[in-house]
Amino acid sequence: MAKTKVGILVSGRGSNMEAILKASKSNIFNAEVVLVLSDKADAPALEIAKASKVPTVFLDPKDFPAREDYDKALVDQLNKAKVGLVCLAGYMRIVTPVFLKAFPNRIMNIHPALLPSFKGLHGQKQAFDYGVKVAGCTVHFVSEEPDSGPIIAQAAVEVQEDDTVETLSTRILEEEHKIFPQAVPLFAQGKLEIKGRKVLIKED
Ligand code: GRF
């Protein structure tokens, strides 16, 4: 079976992208990262991708009059690379309907909280400050409302009494690095079926 071509959108550190890249080296991964796009020229993720010989493109939002124009340019790049799955890995912009329509049910995001709790920025800090006993992370399909699409995978992380936001975030990130690379091949193998709000994972 041909491997699904994956495009990853980043804005910063790139550790989730790196986890997907590492996992994609395995023969059973079924997907290959063909393009990394960034909205930040200095995103460390770009250097990591280049070191792995993955093509990278930086598109500056300032060069586009509207968010839709920017997203159209992203879509053009992804289509040129024949991308079948888009992963948002620490991508800090909200995608517009232009982008969603170009890749229906083919965009995944990783969020550092157990959705639907603690949407938006700094999910780990929101959860920590709220005093939850169990925090975690979520991989979900992207829909128009941020952090709200059907959930593909989640991992729970217990909060310890001596945790700080930093120690908790580190353990959440370790789980992010597991569940995002697990979700990608499930998609590539055609095992994810969206039924309303639910994502069913088909058996072998
Ligand atoms: C992660 O915590 C992710 O859940 C959130 O942004 C952060 C990105 O980190 N969406 P990295 O760039 O993948 O290291």
Side-chain angles (χ1 to χ4, degrees), residues 101-135:
K101 283 198 190 103
F103 296 98
N105 295 335
R106 287 191 286 146
I107 310 168
M108 288 180 185
N109 181 46
I110 179 92
H111 183 75
L114 290 174
L115 292 173
S117 293
F118 311 119
K119 297 176 180 178
L121 290 177
H122 312 302
Q124 312 95 321
K125 182 173 187 316
Q126 290 185 56
F128 182 79
D129 290 347
Y130 196 89
V132 300
K133 300 289 188 196
V134 180

PDB file of all heavy atoms in Angstrom, residues 101-135:
ATOM      1  N   LYS A 101     -11.981  23.145   4.211  1.00  0.00           N
ATOM      2  CA  LYS A 101     -12.667  22.587   3.031  1.00  0.00           C
ATOM      3  C   LYS A 101     -11.691  21.857   2.120  1.00  0.00           C
ATOM      4  O   LYS A 101     -12.054  20.921   1.415  1.00  0.00           O
ATOM      5  CB  LYS A 101     -13.378  23.702   2.261  1.00  0.00           C
ATOM      6  CG  LYS A 101     -14.655  24.112   2.927  1.00  0.00           C
ATOM      7  CD  LYS A 101     -15.603  24.873   1.995  1.00  0.00           C
ATOM      8  CE  LYS A 101     -16.745  25.455   2.812  1.00  0.00           C
ATOM      9  NZ  LYS A 101     -16.619  26.894   3.064  1.00  0.00           N
ATOM     10  N   ALA A 102     -10.440  22.301   2.113  1.00  0.00           N
ATOM     11  CA  ALA A 102      -9.445  21.666   1.244  1.00  0.00           C
ATOM     12  C   ALA A 102      -9.040  20.283   1.756  1.00  0.00           C
ATOM     13  O   ALA A 102      -8.626  19.424   0.979  1.00  0.00           O
ATOM     14  CB  ALA A 102      -8.215  22.567   1.129  1.00  0.00           C
ATOM     15  N   PHE A 103      -9.168  20.088   3.085  1.00  0.00           N
ATOM     16  CA  PHE A 103      -8.773  18.798   3.683  1.00  0.00           C
ATOM     17  C   PHE A 103      -9.846  18.296   4.644  1.00  0.00           C
ATOM     18  O   PHE A 103      -9.620  18.177   5.845  1.00  0.00           O
ATOM     19  CB  PHE A 103      -7.428  18.942   4.421  1.00  0.00           C
ATOM     20  CG  PHE A 103      -6.291  19.273   3.505  1.00  0.00           C
ATOM     21  CD1 PHE A 103      -5.862  20.584   3.362  1.00  0.00           C
ATOM     22  CD2 PHE A 103      -5.671  18.276   2.765  1.00  0.00           C
ATOM     23  CE1 PHE A 103      -4.833  20.900   2.496  1.00  0.00           C
ATOM     24  CE2 PHE A 103      -4.637  18.580   1.900  1.00  0.00           C
ATOM     25  CZ  PHE A 103      -4.210  19.892   1.763  1.00  0.00           C
ATOM     26  N   PRO A 104     -11.041  17.987   4.104  1.00  0.00           N
ATOM     27  CA  PRO A 104     -12.138  17.594   5.001  1.00  0.00           C
ATOM     28  C   PRO A 104     -11.799  16.313   5.763  1.00  0.00           C
ATOM     29  O   PRO A 104     -11.402  15.313   5.148  1.00  0.00           O
ATOM     30  CB  PRO A 104     -13.333  17.393   4.063  1.00  0.00           C
ATOM     31  CG  PRO A 104     -12.745  17.273   2.699  1.00  0.00           C
ATOM     32  CD  PRO A 104     -11.433  17.958   2.694  1.00  0.00           C
ATOM     33  N   ASN A 105     -11.948  16.366   7.080  1.00  0.00           N
ATOM     34  CA  ASN A 105     -11.652  15.204   7.948  1.00  0.00           C
ATOM     35  C   ASN A 105     -10.244  14.669   7.739  1.00  0.00           C
ATOM     36  O   ASN A 105      -9.986  13.475   7.922  1.00  0.00           O
ATOM     37  CB  ASN A 105     -12.670  14.075   7.732  1.00  0.00           C
ATOM     38  CG  ASN A 105     -14.057  14.487   8.156  1.00  0.00           C
ATOM     39  OD1 ASN A 105     -14.207  15.375   8.992  1.00  0.00           O
ATOM     40  ND2 ASN A 105     -15.064  13.877   7.576  1.00  0.00           N
ATOM     41  N   ARG A 106      -9.360  15.536   7.324  1.00  0.00           N
ATOM     42  CA  ARG A 106      -7.980  15.097   7.083  1.00  0.00           C
ATOM     43  C   ARG A 106      -6.980  16.035   7.775  1.00  0.00           C
ATOM     44  O   ARG A 106      -5.838  16.171   7.342  1.00  0.00           O
ATOM     45  CB  ARG A 106      -7.713  15.029   5.578  1.00  0.00           C
ATOM     46  CG  ARG A 106      -8.405  13.835   4.914  1.00  0.00           C
ATOM     47  CD  ARG A 106      -7.943  13.607   3.517  1.00  0.00           C
ATOM     48  NE  ARG A 106      -8.469  14.601   2.607  1.00  0.00           N
ATOM     49  CZ  ARG A 106      -7.827  15.072   1.556  1.00  0.00           C
ATOM     50  NH1 ARG A 106      -6.613  14.669   1.286  1.00  0.00           N
ATOM     51  NH2 ARG A 106      -8.387  15.966   0.778  1.00  0.00           N
ATOM     52  N   ILE A 107      -7.446  16.698   8.836  1.00  0.00           N
ATOM     53  CA  ILE A 107      -6.543  17.556   9.617  1.00  0.00           C
ATOM     54  C   ILE A 107      -6.640  17.124  11.076  1.00  0.00           C
ATOM     55  O   ILE A 107      -7.739  17.021  11.638  1.00  0.00           O
ATOM     56  CB  ILE A 107      -6.945  19.046   9.519  1.00  0.00           C
ATOM     57  CG1 ILE A 107      -7.144  19.470   8.061  1.00  0.00           C
ATOM     58  CG2 ILE A 107      -5.883  19.923  10.192  1.00  0.00           C
ATOM     59  CD1 ILE A 107      -7.806  20.830   7.912  1.00  0.00           C
ATOM     60  N   MET A 108      -5.482  16.866  11.679  1.00  0.00           N
ATOM     61  CA  MET A 108      -5.434  16.470  13.097  1.00  0.00           C
ATOM     62  C   MET A 108      -4.675  17.528  13.885  1.00  0.00           C
ATOM     63  O   MET A 108      -3.746  18.141  13.374  1.00  0.00           O
ATOM     64  CB  MET A 108      -4.635  15.183  13.269  1.00  0.00           C
ATOM     65  CG  MET A 108      -5.297  13.949  12.787  1.00  0.00           C
ATOM     66  SD  MET A 108      -4.136  12.594  13.115  1.00  0.00           S
ATOM     67  CE  MET A 108      -5.034  11.272  12.359  1.00  0.00           C
ATOM     68  N   ASN A 109      -5.072  17.662  15.156  1.00  0.00           N
ATOM     69  CA  ASN A 109      -4.367  18.585  16.046  1.00  0.00           C
ATOM     70  C   ASN A 109      -4.043  17.874  17.351  1.00  0.00           C
ATOM     71  O   ASN A 109      -4.748  16.948  17.755  1.00  0.00           O
ATOM     72  CB  ASN A 109      -5.263  19.802  16.331  1.00  0.00           C
ATOM     73  CG  ASN A 109      -4.594  20.818  17.233  1.00  0.00           C
ATOM     74  OD1 ASN A 109      -3.428  21.179  17.030  1.00  0.00           O
ATOM     75  ND2 ASN A 109      -5.307  21.271  18.254  1.00  0.00           N
ATOM     76  N   ILE A 110      -2.980  18.315  18.008  1.00  0.00           N
ATOM     77  CA  ILE A 110      -2.678  17.817  19.349  1.00  0.00           C
ATOM     78  C   ILE A 110      -2.907  18.954  20.339  1.00  0.00           C
ATOM     79  O   ILE A 110      -2.462  20.089  20.110  1.00  0.00           O
ATOM     80  CB  ILE A 110      -1.231  17.271  19.448  1.00  0.00           C
ATOM     81  CG1 ILE A 110      -0.893  16.774  20.854  1.00  0.00           C
ATOM     82  CG2 ILE A 110      -0.188  18.295  19.016  1.00  0.00           C
ATOM     83  CD1 ILE A 110      -1.141  15.343  21.084  1.00  0.00           C
ATOM     84  N   HIS A 111      -3.624  18.630  21.417  1.00  0.00           N
ATOM     85  CA  HIS A 111      -3.926  19.655  22.426  1.00  0.00           C
ATOM     86  C   HIS A 111      -3.468  19.145  23.793  1.00  0.00           C
ATOM     87  O   HIS A 111      -3.759  17.996  24.152  1.00  0.00           O
ATOM     88  CB  HIS A 111      -5.429  19.952  22.443  1.00  0.00           C
ATOM     89  CG  HIS A 111      -5.785  21.033  23.408  1.00  0.00           C
ATOM     90  ND1 HIS A 111      -5.529  22.368  23.143  1.00  0.00           N
ATOM     91  CD2 HIS A 111      -6.330  20.988  24.645  1.00  0.00           C
ATOM     92  CE1 HIS A 111      -5.919  23.091  24.176  1.00  0.00           C
ATOM     93  NE2 HIS A 111      -6.400  22.282  25.103  1.00  0.00           N
ATOM     94  N   PRO A 112      -2.797  19.988  24.594  1.00  0.00           N
ATOM     95  CA  PRO A 112      -2.231  19.504  25.849  1.00  0.00           C
ATOM     96  C   PRO A 112      -3.194  19.516  27.024  1.00  0.00           C
ATOM     97  O   PRO A 112      -2.867  19.991  28.111  1.00  0.00           O
ATOM     98  CB  PRO A 112      -1.059  20.462  26.083  1.00  0.00           C
ATOM     99  CG  PRO A 112      -1.528  21.745  25.489  1.00  0.00           C
ATOM    100  CD  PRO A 112      -2.408  21.384  24.315  1.00  0.00           C
ATOM    101  N   ALA A 113      -4.404  19.024  26.806  1.00  0.00           N
ATOM    102  CA  ALA A 113      -5.388  18.879  27.886  1.00  0.00           C
ATOM    103  C   ALA A 113      -6.396  17.820  27.461  1.00  0.00           C
ATOM    104  O   ALA A 113      -6.455  17.448  26.284  1.00  0.00           O
ATOM    105  CB  ALA A 113      -6.104  20.206  28.159  1.00  0.00           C
ATOM    106  N   LEU A 114      -7.168  17.344  28.432  1.00  0.00           N
ATOM    107  CA  LEU A 114      -8.205  16.361  28.133  1.00  0.00           C
ATOM    108  C   LEU A 114      -9.446  17.122  27.669  1.00  0.00           C
ATOM    109  O   LEU A 114     -10.251  17.576  28.488  1.00  0.00           O
ATOM    110  CB  LEU A 114      -8.512  15.514  29.376  1.00  0.00           C
ATOM    111  CG  LEU A 114      -7.401  14.530  29.791  1.00  0.00           C
ATOM    112  CD1 LEU A 114      -7.757  13.857  31.122  1.00  0.00           C
ATOM    113  CD2 LEU A 114      -7.149  13.483  28.708  1.00  0.00           C
ATOM    114  N   LEU A 115      -9.595  17.275  26.362  1.00  0.00           N
ATOM    115  CA  LEU A 115     -10.754  17.997  25.824  1.00  0.00           C
ATOM    116  C   LEU A 115     -12.034  17.252  26.183  1.00  0.00           C
ATOM    117  O   LEU A 115     -12.015  16.032  26.291  1.00  0.00           O
ATOM    118  CB  LEU A 115     -10.601  18.136  24.304  1.00  0.00           C
ATOM    119  CG  LEU A 115      -9.465  19.065  23.863  1.00  0.00           C
ATOM    120  CD1 LEU A 115      -9.283  19.003  22.349  1.00  0.00           C
ATOM    121  CD2 LEU A 115      -9.706  20.498  24.328  1.00  0.00           C
ATOM    122  N   PRO A 116     -13.165  17.917  26.393  1.00  0.00           N
ATOM    123  CA  PRO A 116     -13.366  19.333  26.078  1.00  0.00           C
ATOM    124  C   PRO A 116     -12.948  20.294  27.190  1.00  0.00           C
ATOM    125  O   PRO A 116     -13.288  21.479  27.121  1.00  0.00           O
ATOM    126  CB  PRO A 116     -14.877  19.413  25.835  1.00  0.00           C
ATOM    127  CG  PRO A 116     -15.429  18.381  26.761  1.00  0.00           C
ATOM    128  CD  PRO A 116     -14.427  17.272  26.786  1.00  0.00           C
ATOM    129  N   SER A 117     -12.239  19.820  28.201  1.00  0.00           N
ATOM    130  CA  SER A 117     -11.763  20.756  29.224  1.00  0.00           C
ATOM    131  C   SER A 117     -10.542  21.520  28.723  1.00  0.00           C
ATOM    132  O   SER A 117      -9.722  20.957  27.990  1.00  0.00           O
ATOM    133  CB  SER A 117     -11.370  20.000  30.488  1.00  0.00           C
ATOM    134  OG  SER A 117     -12.495  19.422  31.092  1.00  0.00           O
ATOM    135  N   PHE A 118     -10.422  22.731  29.152  1.00  0.00           N
ATOM    136  CA  PHE A 118      -9.216  23.535  28.975  1.00  0.00           C
ATOM    137  C   PHE A 118      -8.799  23.707  27.509  1.00  0.00           C
ATOM    138  O   PHE A 118      -7.679  23.370  27.115  1.00  0.00           O
ATOM    139  CB  PHE A 118      -8.084  22.964  29.835  1.00  0.00           C
ATOM    140  CG  PHE A 118      -8.520  22.717  31.248  1.00  0.00           C
ATOM    141  CD1 PHE A 118      -8.485  21.440  31.792  1.00  0.00           C
ATOM    142  CD2 PHE A 118      -9.032  23.753  32.023  1.00  0.00           C
ATOM    143  CE1 PHE A 118      -8.932  21.205  33.090  1.00  0.00           C
ATOM    144  CE2 PHE A 118      -9.478  23.519  33.329  1.00  0.00           C
ATOM    145  CZ  PHE A 118      -9.423  22.234  33.850  1.00  0.00           C
ATOM    146  N   LYS A 119      -9.745  24.203  26.741  1.00  0.00           N
ATOM    147  CA  LYS A 119      -9.444  24.562  25.348  1.00  0.00           C
ATOM    148  C   LYS A 119      -8.580  25.815  25.333  1.00  0.00           C
ATOM    149  O   LYS A 119      -8.471  26.514  26.344  1.00  0.00           O
ATOM    150  CB  LYS A 119     -10.747  24.846  24.596  1.00  0.00           C
ATOM    151  CG  LYS A 119     -11.659  23.650  24.501  1.00  0.00           C
ATOM    152  CD  LYS A 119     -12.971  24.028  23.836  1.00  0.00           C
ATOM    153  CE  LYS A 119     -13.868  22.794  23.753  1.00  0.00           C
ATOM    154  NZ  LYS A 119     -15.168  23.099  23.164  1.00  0.00           N
ATOM    155  N   GLY A 120      -8.034  26.105  24.171  1.00  0.00           N
ATOM    156  CA  GLY A 120      -7.289  27.364  24.011  1.00  0.00           C
ATOM    157  C   GLY A 120      -5.849  27.238  24.453  1.00  0.00           C
ATOM    158  O   GLY A 120      -5.307  26.142  24.589  1.00  0.00           O
ATOM    159  N   LEU A 121      -5.253  28.393  24.722  1.00  0.00           N
ATOM    160  CA  LEU A 121      -3.820  28.415  25.031  1.00  0.00           C
ATOM    161  C   LEU A 121      -3.538  27.866  26.435  1.00  0.00           C
ATOM    162  O   LEU A 121      -4.359  27.982  27.332  1.00  0.00           O
ATOM    163  CB  LEU A 121      -3.295  29.850  24.944  1.00  0.00           C
ATOM    164  CG  LEU A 121      -3.232  30.450  23.529  1.00  0.00           C
ATOM    165  CD1 LEU A 121      -2.765  31.901  23.606  1.00  0.00           C
ATOM    166  CD2 LEU A 121      -2.321  29.642  22.625  1.00  0.00           C
ATOM    167  N   HIS A 122      -2.348  27.298  26.591  1.00  0.00           N
ATOM    168  CA  HIS A 122      -1.829  26.868  27.895  1.00  0.00           C
ATOM    169  C   HIS A 122      -2.783  25.928  28.634  1.00  0.00           C
ATOM    170  O   HIS A 122      -3.118  26.143  29.794  1.00  0.00           O
ATOM    171  CB  HIS A 122      -1.507  28.089  28.768  1.00  0.00           C
ATOM    172  CG  HIS A 122      -0.706  29.133  28.051  1.00  0.00           C
ATOM    173  ND1 HIS A 122       0.532  28.872  27.491  1.00  0.00           N
ATOM    174  CD2 HIS A 122      -0.970  30.429  27.748  1.00  0.00           C
ATOM    175  CE1 HIS A 122       0.983  29.955  26.900  1.00  0.00           C
ATOM    176  NE2 HIS A 122       0.098  30.919  27.023  1.00  0.00           N
ATOM    177  N   GLY A 123      -3.220  24.892  27.924  1.00  0.00           N
ATOM    178  CA  GLY A 123      -4.130  23.911  28.522  1.00  0.00           C
ATOM    179  C   GLY A 123      -3.563  23.293  29.787  1.00  0.00           C
ATOM    180  O   GLY A 123      -4.302  23.040  30.749  1.00  0.00           O
ATOM    181  N   GLN A 124      -2.255  23.065  29.796  1.00  0.00           N
ATOM    182  CA  GLN A 124      -1.639  22.432  30.982  1.00  0.00           C
ATOM    183  C   GLN A 124      -1.767  23.351  32.199  1.00  0.00           C
ATOM    184  O   GLN A 124      -2.092  22.911  33.297  1.00  0.00           O
ATOM    185  CB  GLN A 124      -0.141  22.161  30.753  1.00  0.00           C
ATOM    186  CG  GLN A 124       0.230  21.484  29.449  1.00  0.00           C
ATOM    187  CD  GLN A 124       0.614  22.480  28.375  1.00  0.00           C
ATOM    188  OE1 GLN A 124       0.007  23.543  28.245  1.00  0.00           O
ATOM    189  NE2 GLN A 124       1.601  22.134  27.574  1.00  0.00           N
ATOM    190  N   LYS A 125      -1.493  24.638  31.985  1.00  0.00           N
ATOM    191  CA  LYS A 125      -1.552  25.603  33.105  1.00  0.00           C
ATOM    192  C   LYS A 125      -3.003  25.775  33.579  1.00  0.00           C
ATOM    193  O   LYS A 125      -3.267  25.843  34.781  1.00  0.00           O
ATOM    194  CB  LYS A 125      -0.949  26.945  32.680  1.00  0.00           C
ATOM    195  CG  LYS A 125      -0.946  27.968  33.808  1.00  0.00           C
ATOM    196  CD  LYS A 125      -0.193  29.228  33.443  1.00  0.00           C
ATOM    197  CE  LYS A 125      -0.040  30.196  34.610  1.00  0.00           C
ATOM    198  NZ  LYS A 125      -1.213  30.421  35.423  1.00  0.00           N
ATOM    199  N   GLN A 126      -3.917  25.834  32.603  1.00  0.00           N
ATOM    200  CA  GLN A 126      -5.336  25.959  32.983  1.00  0.00           C
ATOM    201  C   GLN A 126      -5.747  24.798  33.882  1.00  0.00           C
ATOM    202  O   GLN A 126      -6.402  24.987  34.900  1.00  0.00           O
ATOM    203  CB  GLN A 126      -6.207  25.932  31.738  1.00  0.00           C
ATOM    204  CG  GLN A 126      -6.137  27.137  30.832  1.00  0.00           C
ATOM    205  CD  GLN A 126      -7.163  26.970  29.710  1.00  0.00           C
ATOM    206  OE1 GLN A 126      -8.349  26.784  29.959  1.00  0.00           O
ATOM    207  NE2 GLN A 126      -6.711  27.023  28.473  1.00  0.00           N
ATOM    208  N   ALA A 127      -5.344  23.577  33.489  1.00  0.00           N
ATOM    209  CA  ALA A 127      -5.720  22.388  34.257  1.00  0.00           C
ATOM    210  C   ALA A 127      -5.043  22.407  35.627  1.00  0.00           C
ATOM    211  O   ALA A 127      -5.680  22.124  36.653  1.00  0.00           O
ATOM    212  CB  ALA A 127      -5.328  21.122  33.491  1.00  0.00           C
ATOM    213  N   PHE A 128      -3.772  22.768  35.644  1.00  0.00           N
ATOM    214  CA  PHE A 128      -3.011  22.814  36.897  1.00  0.00           C
ATOM    215  C   PHE A 128      -3.642  23.822  37.855  1.00  0.00           C
ATOM    216  O   PHE A 128      -3.889  23.526  39.023  1.00  0.00           O
ATOM    217  CB  PHE A 128      -1.557  23.185  36.589  1.00  0.00           C
ATOM    218  CG  PHE A 128      -0.678  23.218  37.796  1.00  0.00           C
ATOM    219  CD1 PHE A 128      -0.177  22.049  38.351  1.00  0.00           C
ATOM    220  CD2 PHE A 128      -0.352  24.426  38.402  1.00  0.00           C
ATOM    221  CE1 PHE A 128       0.622  22.073  39.478  1.00  0.00           C
ATOM    222  CE2 PHE A 128       0.454  24.472  39.531  1.00  0.00           C
ATOM    223  CZ  PHE A 128       0.943  23.288  40.074  1.00  0.00           C
ATOM    224  N   ASP A 129      -3.915  25.024  37.343  1.00  0.00           N
ATOM    225  CA  ASP A 129      -4.491  26.076  38.189  1.00  0.00           C
ATOM    226  C   ASP A 129      -5.888  25.709  38.681  1.00  0.00           C
ATOM    227  O   ASP A 129      -6.302  26.111  39.768  1.00  0.00           O
ATOM    228  CB  ASP A 129      -4.563  27.409  37.420  1.00  0.00           C
ATOM    229  CG  ASP A 129      -3.180  28.014  37.185  1.00  0.00           C
ATOM    230  OD1 ASP A 129      -2.217  27.526  37.824  1.00  0.00           O
ATOM    231  OD2 ASP A 129      -3.054  28.938  36.358  1.00  0.00           O
ATOM    232  N   TYR A 130      -6.599  24.932  37.876  1.00  0.00           N
ATOM    233  CA  TYR A 130      -7.954  24.535  38.266  1.00  0.00           C
ATOM    234  C   TYR A 130      -7.921  23.525  39.402  1.00  0.00           C
ATOM    235  O   TYR A 130      -8.874  23.367  40.156  1.00  0.00           O
ATOM    236  CB  TYR A 130      -8.676  23.930  37.051  1.00  0.00           C
ATOM    237  CG  TYR A 130     -10.163  23.829  37.225  1.00  0.00           C
ATOM    238  CD1 TYR A 130     -11.001  24.880  36.858  1.00  0.00           C
ATOM    239  CD2 TYR A 130     -10.743  22.682  37.767  1.00  0.00           C
ATOM    240  CE1 TYR A 130     -12.362  24.796  37.034  1.00  0.00           C
ATOM    241  CE2 TYR A 130     -12.110  22.588  37.950  1.00  0.00           C
ATOM    242  CZ  TYR A 130     -12.921  23.654  37.573  1.00  0.00           C
ATOM    243  OH  TYR A 130     -14.273  23.572  37.751  1.00  0.00           O
ATOM    244  N   GLY A 131      -6.784  22.817  39.497  1.00  0.00           N
ATOM    245  CA  GLY A 131      -6.636  21.834  40.573  1.00  0.00           C
ATOM    246  C   GLY A 131      -7.084  20.436  40.197  1.00  0.00           C
ATOM    247  O   GLY A 131      -7.448  19.644  41.079  1.00  0.00           O
ATOM    248  N   VAL A 132      -7.045  20.109  38.911  1.00  0.00           N
ATOM    249  CA  VAL A 132      -7.476  18.760  38.521  1.00  0.00           C
ATOM    250  C   VAL A 132      -6.515  17.712  39.088  1.00  0.00           C
ATOM    251  O   VAL A 132      -5.341  17.996  39.347  1.00  0.00           O
ATOM    252  CB  VAL A 132      -7.555  18.593  36.974  1.00  0.00           C
ATOM    253  CG1 VAL A 132      -8.550  19.568  36.366  1.00  0.00           C
ATOM    254  CG2 VAL A 132      -6.176  18.749  36.339  1.00  0.00           C
ATOM    255  N   LYS A 133      -7.025  16.522  39.300  1.00  0.00           N
ATOM    256  CA  LYS A 133      -6.190  15.404  39.757  1.00  0.00           C
ATOM    257  C   LYS A 133      -5.643  14.626  38.563  1.00  0.00           C
ATOM    258  O   LYS A 133      -4.659  13.912  38.665  1.00  0.00           O
ATOM    259  CB  LYS A 133      -7.003  14.449  40.636  1.00  0.00           C
ATOM    260  CG  LYS A 133      -7.579  15.113  41.874  1.00  0.00           C
ATOM    261  CD  LYS A 133      -6.491  15.451  42.883  1.00  0.00           C
ATOM    262  CE  LYS A 133      -7.086  15.931  44.200  1.00  0.00           C
ATOM    263  NZ  LYS A 133      -6.092  16.601  45.041  1.00  0.00           N
ATOM    264  N   VAL A 134      -6.362  14.711  37.448  1.00  0.00           N
ATOM    265  CA  VAL A 134      -5.931  14.015  36.231  1.00  0.00           C
ATOM    266  C   VAL A 134      -5.904  15.022  35.093  1.00  0.00           C
ATOM    267  O   VAL A 134      -6.928  15.641  34.777  1.00  0.00           O
ATOM    268  CB  VAL A 134      -6.889  12.848  35.877  1.00  0.00           C
ATOM    269  CG1 VAL A 134      -6.421  12.144  34.604  1.00  0.00           C
ATOM    270  CG2 VAL A 134      -6.979  11.861  37.029  1.00  0.00           C
ATOM    271  N   ALA A 135      -4.729  15.189  34.498  1.00  0.00           N
ATOM    272  CA  ALA A 135      -4.591  16.049  33.315  1.00  0.00           C
ATOM    273  C   ALA A 135      -4.330  15.131  32.117  1.00  0.00           C
ATOM    274  O   ALA A 135      -4.531  13.922  32.218  1.00  0.00           O
ATOM    275  CB  ALA A 135      -3.442  17.026  33.522  1.00  0.00           C
TER     276      ALA A 135
END
